[in-house]
Amino acid sequence: MAADIPLGDRLDDDDYPAYTMGRAAEMLGTTPGFLRAIGEARLITPLRSEGGHRRYSRYQLRIAARARELVDRGTPIEAACRIVILEDQLEEAQRINAEYRRAANTTPGTA
């Protein structure tokens, strides 16, 4: 399926699982164990390659980086994961609310 999508489009896709566990850990300045731990805490769920290896997207790496910031400040990993999940949910809710406000302001008959 991914082979049907042009390479340039896949590389621009924040959700495309382009990074191996080793590369992701290197980019984040952490260990593969940290990535496994945040996976076990259900913060991120990496996709698996055909060979069963974990693959991470840019979006997942941003989420993992935020968790690492909190852990580096002394927050337990489980609490850091919960904080990041709640932050992400809040951001999504705010985006949806902004869309509803825009739609309400452009609907005919509203002031």
Side-chain angles (χ1 to χ4, degrees):
M1 180 173 181
D4 297 341
I5 302 168
L7 179 60
D9 291 344
R10 285 183 278 164
L11 296 177
D12 290 338
D13 182 356
D14 259 4
D15 295 319
Y16 183 72
Y19 304 98
T20 63
M21 177 180 271
R23 180 67 179 129
E26 179 184 316
M27 290 170 68
L28 294 171
T30 190
T31 65
F34 175 80
L35 291 172
R36 281 190 292 277
I38 64 175
E40 289 169 10
R42 296 189 179 142
L43 177 61
I44 58 175
T45 303
L47 285 139
R48 297 282 182 152
S49 68
E50 289 182 18
H53 300 282
R54 291 174 178 91
R55 305 285 295 196
Y56 298 89
S57 69
R58 288 189 308 212
Y59 173 76
Q60 290 173 323
L61 295 183
R62 282 195 304 273
I63 296 291
R66 176 66 180 130
R68 179 163 184 244
E69 287 174 15
L70 292 167
V71 169
D72 287 350
R73 292 182 193 161
T75 306
I77 196 160
E78 296 83 11
C81 290
R82 185 68 183 140
I83 289 167
V84 173
I85 288 167
L86 291 170
E87 288 174 342
D88 198 47
Q89 289 172 343
L90 176 59
E91 183 179 320
E92 178 67 7
Q94 289 172 331
R95 184 192 63 74
I96 290 168
N97 284 340
E99 287 177 14
Y100 285 144
R101 280 192 294 276
R102 278 192 298 278
N105 290 333
T106 59
T107 302
T110 59

